[in-house]
PDB file of all heavy atoms in Angstrom:
ATOM      1  N   ASP A  64      20.605  14.918   3.891  1.00 98.00           N
ATOM      2  CA  ASP A  64      21.003  14.775   2.463  1.00 98.00           C
ATOM      3  C   ASP A  64      21.655  13.436   2.218  1.00 98.00           C
ATOM      4  O   ASP A  64      22.776  13.230   2.482  1.00 98.00           O
ATOM      5  CB  ASP A  64      21.987  15.926   2.164  1.00 98.00           C
ATOM      6  CG  ASP A  64      22.380  16.010   0.699  1.00 98.00           C
ATOM      7  OD1 ASP A  64      21.964  15.106  -0.097  1.00 98.00           O
ATOM      8  OD2 ASP A  64      23.295  16.879   0.265  1.00 98.00           O
ATOM      9  N   LEU A  65      20.841  12.562   1.700  1.00 97.00           N
ATOM     10  CA  LEU A  65      21.332  11.140   1.472  1.00 97.00           C
ATOM     11  C   LEU A  65      22.243  11.086   0.323  1.00 97.00           C
ATOM     12  O   LEU A  65      23.022  10.016   0.267  1.00 97.00           O
ATOM     13  CB  LEU A  65      20.149  10.331   1.195  1.00 97.00           C
ATOM     14  CG  LEU A  65      19.103  10.069   2.282  1.00 97.00           C
ATOM     15  CD1 LEU A  65      17.992   9.127   1.807  1.00 97.00           C
ATOM     16  CD2 LEU A  65      19.765   9.588   3.539  1.00 97.00           C
ATOM     17  N   LYS A  66      22.396  12.057  -0.541  1.00 96.00           N
ATOM     18  CA  LYS A  66      23.442  12.098  -1.587  1.00 96.00           C
ATOM     19  C   LYS A  66      24.807  12.553  -1.106  1.00 96.00           C
ATOM     20  O   LYS A  66      25.777  12.334  -1.776  1.00 96.00           O
ATOM     21  CB  LYS A  66      22.966  12.952  -2.774  1.00 96.00           C
ATOM     22  CG  LYS A  66      21.707  12.377  -3.476  1.00 96.00           C
ATOM     23  CD  LYS A  66      21.357  13.235  -4.623  1.00 96.00           C
ATOM     24  CE  LYS A  66      20.056  12.669  -5.218  1.00 96.00           C
ATOM     25  NZ  LYS A  66      19.614  13.442  -6.397  1.00 96.00           N
ATOM     26  N   ASP A  67      24.827  13.065   0.048  1.00 97.00           N
ATOM     27  CA  ASP A  67      26.113  13.475   0.754  1.00 97.00           C
ATOM     28  C   ASP A  67      26.732  12.183   1.431  1.00 97.00           C
ATOM     29  O   ASP A  67      25.917  11.516   2.174  1.00 97.00           O
ATOM     30  CB  ASP A  67      25.842  14.517   1.812  1.00 97.00           C
ATOM     31  CG  ASP A  67      27.057  15.002   2.510  1.00 97.00           C
ATOM     32  OD1 ASP A  67      28.031  14.246   2.526  1.00 97.00           O
ATOM     33  OD2 ASP A  67      26.968  16.064   3.000  1.00 97.00           O
ATOM     34  N   PRO A  68      27.899  11.822   1.108  1.00 97.00           N
ATOM     35  CA  PRO A  68      28.464  10.592   1.727  1.00 97.00           C
ATOM     36  C   PRO A  68      28.324  10.609   3.222  1.00 97.00           C
ATOM     37  O   PRO A  68      28.128   9.573   3.909  1.00 97.00           O
ATOM     38  CB  PRO A  68      29.960  10.671   1.312  1.00 97.00           C
ATOM     39  CG  PRO A  68      29.915  11.358   0.048  1.00 97.00           C
ATOM     40  CD  PRO A  68      28.807  12.385   0.131  1.00 97.00           C
ATOM     41  N   ASP A  69      28.410  11.840   3.917  1.00 98.00           N
ATOM     42  CA  ASP A  69      28.293  11.918   5.284  1.00 98.00           C
ATOM     43  C   ASP A  69      26.898  11.668   5.700  1.00 98.00           C
ATOM     44  O   ASP A  69      26.512  11.159   6.800  1.00 98.00           O
ATOM     45  CB  ASP A  69      28.743  13.297   5.812  1.00 98.00           C
ATOM     46  CG  ASP A  69      30.280  13.455   5.754  1.00 98.00           C
ATOM     47  OD1 ASP A  69      30.972  12.409   5.685  1.00 98.00           O
ATOM     48  OD2 ASP A  69      30.699  14.622   5.684  1.00 98.00           O
ATOM     49  N   GLY A  70      25.879  12.048   4.813  1.00 98.00           N
ATOM     50  CA  GLY A  70      24.487  11.754   5.102  1.00 98.00           C
ATOM     51  C   GLY A  70      24.208  10.258   5.053  1.00 98.00           C
ATOM     52  O   GLY A  70      23.500   9.654   5.954  1.00 98.00           O
ATOM     53  N   ALA A  71      24.853   9.547   3.963  1.00 98.00           N
ATOM     54  CA  ALA A  71      24.653   8.085   3.979  1.00 98.00           C
ATOM     55  C   ALA A  71      25.308   7.460   5.259  1.00 98.00           C
ATOM     56  O   ALA A  71      24.768   6.518   5.785  1.00 98.00           O
ATOM     57  CB  ALA A  71      25.270   7.586   2.660  1.00 98.00           C
ATOM     58  N   GLU A  72      26.492   7.948   5.628  1.00 98.00           N
ATOM     59  CA  GLU A  72      27.100   7.388   6.858  1.00 98.00           C
ATOM     60  C   GLU A  72      26.246   7.605   8.109  1.00 98.00           C
ATOM     61  O   GLU A  72      26.167   6.714   8.905  1.00 98.00           O
ATOM     62  CB  GLU A  72      28.494   8.085   6.993  1.00 98.00           C
ATOM     63  CG  GLU A  72      29.167   7.730   8.334  1.00 98.00           C
ATOM     64  CD  GLU A  72      29.419   6.252   8.515  1.00 98.00           C
ATOM     65  OE1 GLU A  72      29.437   5.462   7.478  1.00 98.00           O
ATOM     66  OE2 GLU A  72      29.670   5.885   9.640  1.00 98.00           O
ATOM     67  N   LEU A  73      25.560   8.722   8.126  1.00 98.00           N
ATOM     68  CA  LEU A  73      24.652   9.012   9.295  1.00 98.00           C
ATOM     69  C   LEU A  73      23.580   7.935   9.308  1.00 98.00           C
ATOM     70  O   LEU A  73      23.241   7.485  10.472  1.00 98.00           O
ATOM     71  CB  LEU A  73      24.063  10.429   9.174  1.00 98.00           C
ATOM     72  CG  LEU A  73      23.017  10.718  10.307  1.00 98.00           C
ATOM     73  CD1 LEU A  73      23.637  10.655  11.670  1.00 98.00           C
ATOM     74  CD2 LEU A  73      22.415  12.151   9.986  1.00 98.00           C
ATOM     75  N   VAL A  74      22.926   7.620   8.123  1.00 98.00           N
ATOM     76  CA  VAL A  74      21.961   6.545   8.118  1.00 98.00           C
ATOM     77  C   VAL A  74      22.448   5.215   8.629  1.00 98.00           C
ATOM     78  O   VAL A  74      21.890   4.536   9.422  1.00 98.00           O
ATOM     79  CB  VAL A  74      21.411   6.446   6.749  1.00 98.00           C
ATOM     80  CG1 VAL A  74      20.496   5.235   6.622  1.00 98.00           C
ATOM     81  CG2 VAL A  74      20.529   7.705   6.370  1.00 98.00           C
ATOM     82  N   ARG A  75      23.666   4.952   8.222  1.00 98.00           N
ATOM     83  CA  ARG A  75      24.365   3.657   8.666  1.00 98.00           C
ATOM     84  C   ARG A  75      24.572   3.659  10.203  1.00 98.00           C
ATOM     85  O   ARG A  75      24.378   2.714  10.907  1.00 98.00           O
ATOM     86  CB  ARG A  75      25.659   3.332   7.885  1.00 98.00           C
ATOM     87  CG  ARG A  75      25.373   3.082   6.487  1.00 98.00           C
ATOM     88  CD  ARG A  75      26.744   2.659   5.805  1.00 98.00           C
ATOM     89  NE  ARG A  75      27.745   3.732   5.728  1.00 98.00           N
ATOM     90  CZ  ARG A  75      27.946   4.531   4.659  1.00 98.00           C
ATOM     91  NH1 ARG A  75      27.135   4.377   3.586  1.00 98.00           N
ATOM     92  NH2 ARG A  75      28.905   5.473   4.675  1.00 98.00           N
ATOM     93  N   ARG A  76      24.943   4.883  10.739  1.00 98.00           N
ATOM     94  CA  ARG A  76      25.066   5.008  12.168  1.00 98.00           C
ATOM     95  C   ARG A  76      23.695   4.881  12.857  1.00 98.00           C
ATOM     96  O   ARG A  76      23.657   4.173  13.943  1.00 98.00           O
ATOM     97  CB  ARG A  76      25.699   6.339  12.549  1.00 98.00           C
ATOM     98  CG  ARG A  76      27.165   6.449  12.067  1.00 98.00           C
ATOM     99  CD  ARG A  76      27.631   7.903  12.030  1.00 98.00           C
ATOM    100  NE  ARG A  76      27.615   8.471  13.334  1.00 98.00           N
ATOM    101  CZ  ARG A  76      27.858   9.761  13.627  1.00 98.00           C
ATOM    102  NH1 ARG A  76      28.019  10.665  12.604  1.00 98.00           N
ATOM    103  NH2 ARG A  76      27.925  10.226  14.923  1.00 98.00           N
ATOM    104  N   LEU A  77      22.604   5.421  12.312  1.00 98.00           N
ATOM    105  CA  LEU A  77      21.278   5.173  12.881  1.00 98.00           C
ATOM    106  C   LEU A  77      20.889   3.750  12.848  1.00 98.00           C
ATOM    107  O   LEU A  77      20.286   3.247  13.748  1.00 98.00           O
ATOM    108  CB  LEU A  77      20.375   6.064  12.128  1.00 98.00           C
ATOM    109  CG  LEU A  77      20.496   7.602  12.356  1.00 98.00           C
ATOM    110  CD1 LEU A  77      19.520   8.389  11.439  1.00 98.00           C
ATOM    111  CD2 LEU A  77      20.196   7.986  13.838  1.00 98.00           C
ATOM    112  N   ALA A  78      21.189   3.067  11.747  1.00 98.00           N
ATOM    113  CA  ALA A  78      20.881   1.635  11.618  1.00 98.00           C
ATOM    114  C   ALA A  78      21.579   0.872  12.698  1.00 98.00           C
ATOM    115  O   ALA A  78      20.991  -0.190  13.114  1.00 98.00           O
ATOM    116  CB  ALA A  78      21.292   1.116  10.252  1.00 98.00           C
ATOM    117  N   GLU A  79      22.713   1.292  13.043  1.00 98.00           N
ATOM    118  CA  GLU A  79      23.428   0.537  14.149  1.00 98.00           C
ATOM    119  C   GLU A  79      22.591   0.528  15.450  1.00 98.00           C
ATOM    120  O   GLU A  79      22.691  -0.386  16.304  1.00 98.00           O
ATOM    121  CB  GLU A  79      24.775   1.176  14.501  1.00 98.00           C
ATOM    122  CG  GLU A  79      25.845   0.954  13.329  1.00 98.00           C
ATOM    123  CD  GLU A  79      27.191   1.790  13.778  1.00 98.00           C
ATOM    124  OE1 GLU A  79      27.297   2.174  14.887  1.00 98.00           O
ATOM    125  OE2 GLU A  79      27.948   1.820  12.825  1.00 98.00           O
ATOM    126  N   ARG A  80      21.842   1.662  15.684  1.00 98.00           N
ATOM    127  CA  ARG A  80      21.098   1.860  16.865  1.00 98.00           C
ATOM    128  C   ARG A  80      19.632   1.309  16.799  1.00 98.00           C
ATOM    129  O   ARG A  80      18.911   1.442  17.779  1.00 98.00           O
ATOM    130  CB  ARG A  80      21.158   3.308  17.223  1.00 98.00           C
ATOM    131  CG  ARG A  80      22.583   3.822  17.499  1.00 98.00           C
ATOM    132  CD  ARG A  80      22.628   5.372  17.346  1.00 98.00           C
ATOM    133  NE  ARG A  80      23.880   5.924  17.898  1.00 98.00           N
ATOM    134  CZ  ARG A  80      25.040   5.917  17.198  1.00 98.00           C
ATOM    135  NH1 ARG A  80      25.079   5.354  16.009  1.00 98.00           N
ATOM    136  NH2 ARG A  80      26.120   6.472  17.782  1.00 98.00           N
ATOM    137  N   ALA A  81      19.258   0.944  15.614  1.00 98.00           N
ATOM    138  CA  ALA A  81      17.840   0.576  15.347  1.00 98.00           C
ATOM    139  C   ALA A  81      17.583  -0.885  15.382  1.00 98.00           C
ATOM    140  O   ALA A  81      18.518  -1.652  15.193  1.00 98.00           O
ATOM    141  CB  ALA A  81      17.455   1.164  13.905  1.00 98.00           C
ATOM    142  N   ASP A  82      16.311  -1.185  15.554  1.00 98.00           N
ATOM    143  CA  ASP A  82      15.868  -2.593  15.388  1.00 98.00           C
ATOM    144  C   ASP A  82      15.365  -2.808  13.978  1.00 98.00           C
ATOM    145  O   ASP A  82      15.387  -3.991  13.423  1.00 98.00           O
ATOM    146  CB  ASP A  82      14.740  -2.825  16.409  1.00 98.00           C
ATOM    147  CG  ASP A  82      15.057  -2.611  17.823  1.00 98.00           C
ATOM    148  OD1 ASP A  82      15.906  -3.417  18.334  1.00 98.00           O
ATOM    149  OD2 ASP A  82      14.599  -1.696  18.388  1.00 98.00           O
ATOM    150  N   VAL A  83      14.799  -1.788  13.341  1.00 98.00           N
ATOM    151  CA  VAL A  83      14.172  -1.937  11.991  1.00 98.00           C
ATOM    152  C   VAL A  83      14.562  -0.721  11.166  1.00 98.00           C
ATOM    153  O   VAL A  83      14.656   0.404  11.707  1.00 98.00           O
ATOM    154  CB  VAL A  83      12.585  -1.915  12.170  1.00 98.00           C
ATOM    155  CG1 VAL A  83      11.945  -1.997  10.777  1.00 98.00           C
ATOM    156  CG2 VAL A  83      12.196  -3.115  13.062  1.00 98.00           C
ATOM    157  N   LEU A  84      14.740  -0.983   9.952  1.00 98.00           N
ATOM    158  CA  LEU A  84      14.873   0.173   8.907  1.00 98.00           C
ATOM    159  C   LEU A  84      13.772  -0.111   7.781  1.00 98.00           C
ATOM    160  O   LEU A  84      13.710  -1.261   7.300  1.00 98.00           O
ATOM    161  CB  LEU A  84      16.187   0.209   8.321  1.00 98.00           C
ATOM    162  CG  LEU A  84      16.523   1.352   7.342  1.00 98.00           C
ATOM    163  CD1 LEU A  84      17.945   1.869   7.417  1.00 98.00           C
ATOM    164  CD2 LEU A  84      16.174   1.005   5.862  1.00 98.00           C
ATOM    165  N   LEU A  85      13.088   0.881   7.430  1.00 98.00           N
ATOM    166  CA  LEU A  85      12.010   0.858   6.416  1.00 98.00           C
ATOM    167  C   LEU A  85      12.421   1.722   5.318  1.00 98.00           C
ATOM    168  O   LEU A  85      12.756   2.881   5.499  1.00 98.00           O
ATOM    169  CB  LEU A  85      10.645   1.264   7.004  1.00 98.00           C
ATOM    170  CG  LEU A  85      10.082   0.556   8.146  1.00 98.00           C
ATOM    171  CD1 LEU A  85       8.717   1.129   8.521  1.00 98.00           C
ATOM    172  CD2 LEU A  85       9.847  -0.993   7.860  1.00 98.00           C
ATOM    173  N   GLU A  86      12.234   1.191   4.080  1.00 98.00           N
ATOM    174  CA  GLU A  86      12.399   2.056   2.889  1.00 98.00           C
ATOM    175  C   GLU A  86      11.462   1.628   1.841  1.00 98.00           C
ATOM    176  O   GLU A  86      10.982   0.454   1.697  1.00 98.00           O
ATOM    177  CB  GLU A  86      13.857   1.961   2.289  1.00 98.00           C
ATOM    178  CG  GLU A  86      14.309   0.533   1.895  1.00 98.00           C
ATOM    179  CD  GLU A  86      14.272   0.386   0.418  1.00 98.00           C
ATOM    180  OE1 GLU A  86      13.687   1.203  -0.248  1.00 98.00           O
ATOM    181  OE2 GLU A  86      14.765  -0.656  -0.042  1.00 98.00           O
ATOM    182  N   GLY A  87      11.092   2.615   0.969  1.00 97.00           N
ATOM    183  CA  GLY A  87      10.098   2.341  -0.054  1.00 97.00           C
ATOM    184  C   GLY A  87      10.493   2.886  -1.363  1.00 97.00           C
ATOM    185  O   GLY A  87       9.660   3.269  -2.174  1.00 97.00           O
ATOM    186  N   PHE A  88      11.741   2.766  -1.708  1.00 97.00           N
ATOM    187  CA  PHE A  88      12.275   3.215  -3.000  1.00 97.00           C
ATOM    188  C   PHE A  88      12.272   2.015  -4.030  1.00 97.00           C
ATOM    189  O   PHE A  88      12.101   0.901  -3.660  1.00 97.00           O
ATOM    190  CB  PHE A  88      13.730   3.704  -2.844  1.00 97.00           C
ATOM    191  CG  PHE A  88      13.886   4.882  -1.853  1.00 97.00           C
ATOM    192  CD1 PHE A  88      14.863   4.724  -0.788  1.00 97.00           C
ATOM    193  CD2 PHE A  88      13.128   5.963  -1.981  1.00 97.00           C
ATOM    194  CE1 PHE A  88      14.998   5.777   0.094  1.00 97.00           C
ATOM    195  CE2 PHE A  88      13.304   6.977  -1.123  1.00 97.00           C
ATOM    196  CZ  PHE A  88      14.169   6.891  -0.058  1.00 97.00           C
ATOM    197  N   ARG A  89      12.581   2.419  -5.307  1.00 96.00           N
ATOM    198  CA  ARG A  89      12.689   1.386  -6.310  1.00 96.00           C
ATOM    199  C   ARG A  89      13.889   0.534  -5.936  1.00 96.00           C
ATOM    200  O   ARG A  89      14.869   0.875  -5.311  1.00 96.00           O
ATOM    201  CB  ARG A  89      12.909   1.999  -7.660  1.00 96.00           C
ATOM    202  CG  ARG A  89      11.660   2.634  -8.265  1.00 96.00           C
ATOM    203  CD  ARG A  89      11.863   2.870  -9.728  1.00 96.00           C
ATOM    204  NE  ARG A  89      11.157   3.993 -10.218  1.00 96.00           N
ATOM    205  CZ  ARG A  89      10.942   4.340 -11.523  1.00 96.00           C
ATOM    206  NH1 ARG A  89      11.589   3.522 -12.451  1.00 96.00           N
ATOM    207  NH2 ARG A  89      10.398   5.430 -11.919  1.00 96.00           N
ATOM    208  N   PRO A  90      13.893  -0.738  -6.422  1.00 97.00           N
ATOM    209  CA  PRO A  90      15.035  -1.624  -6.131  1.00 97.00           C
ATOM    210  C   PRO A  90      16.320  -1.055  -6.559  1.00 97.00           C
ATOM    211  O   PRO A  90      16.389  -0.443  -7.700  1.00 97.00           O
ATOM    212  CB  PRO A  90      14.648  -2.884  -6.921  1.00 97.00           C
ATOM    213  CG  PRO A  90      13.225  -2.901  -6.967  1.00 97.00           C
ATOM    214  CD  PRO A  90      12.755  -1.528  -7.092  1.00 97.00           C
ATOM    215  N   GLY A  91      17.341  -1.095  -5.746  1.00 97.00           N
ATOM    216  CA  GLY A  91      18.607  -0.595  -6.174  1.00 97.00           C
ATOM    217  C   GLY A  91      19.019   0.801  -5.687  1.00 97.00           C
ATOM    218  O   GLY A  91      20.171   1.165  -5.637  1.00 97.00           O
ATOM    219  N   VAL A  92      17.981   1.603  -5.323  1.00 97.00           N
ATOM    220  CA  VAL A  92      18.218   3.005  -4.984  1.00 97.00           C
ATOM    221  C   VAL A  92      19.045   3.051  -3.673  1.00 97.00           C
ATOM    222  O   VAL A  92      20.057   3.773  -3.628  1.00 97.00           O
ATOM    223  CB  VAL A  92      16.937   3.737  -4.809  1.00 97.00           C
ATOM    224  CG1 VAL A  92      17.194   5.076  -4.164  1.00 97.00           C
ATOM    225  CG2 VAL A  92      16.217   3.899  -6.143  1.00 97.00           C
ATOM    226  N   THR A  93      18.696   2.351  -2.620  1.00 98.00           N
ATOM    227  CA  THR A  93      19.456   2.502  -1.368  1.00 98.00           C
ATOM    228  C   THR A  93      20.808   1.793  -1.517  1.00 98.00           C
ATOM    229  O   THR A  93      21.799   2.301  -0.907  1.00 98.00           O
ATOM    230  CB  THR A  93      18.701   1.742  -0.190  1.00 98.00           C
ATOM    231  OG1 THR A  93      18.497   0.417  -0.505  1.00 98.00           O
ATOM    232  CG2 THR A  93      17.391   2.482   0.063  1.00 98.00           C
ATOM    233  N   GLU A  94      20.889   0.855  -2.402  1.00 98.00           N
ATOM    234  CA  GLU A  94      22.279   0.248  -2.669  1.00 98.00           C
ATOM    235  C   GLU A  94      23.194   1.324  -3.260  1.00 98.00           C
ATOM    236  O   GLU A  94      24.365   1.493  -2.972  1.00 98.00           O
ATOM    237  CB  GLU A  94      22.169  -0.919  -3.570  1.00 98.00           C
ATOM    238  CG  GLU A  94      21.722  -2.188  -2.913  1.00 98.00           C
ATOM    239  CD  GLU A  94      20.217  -2.337  -2.925  1.00 98.00           C
ATOM    240  OE1 GLU A  94      19.427  -1.318  -3.169  1.00 98.00           O
ATOM    241  OE2 GLU A  94      19.683  -3.352  -2.484  1.00 98.00           O
TER     242      GLU A  94
END
Side-chain angles (χ1 to χ4, degrees):
D64 182 359
L65 296 181
K66 295 181 180 180
D67 181 336
D69 290 335
E72 172 59 18
L73 174 61
V74 170
R75 293 190 290 268
R76 292 165 65 189
L77 292 172
E79 292 177 10
R80 298 158 167 80
D82 302 292
V83 178
L84 185 146
L85 300 179
E86 62 98 351
F88 303 127
R89 290 198 210 186
V92 169
T93 59
E94 285 85 351

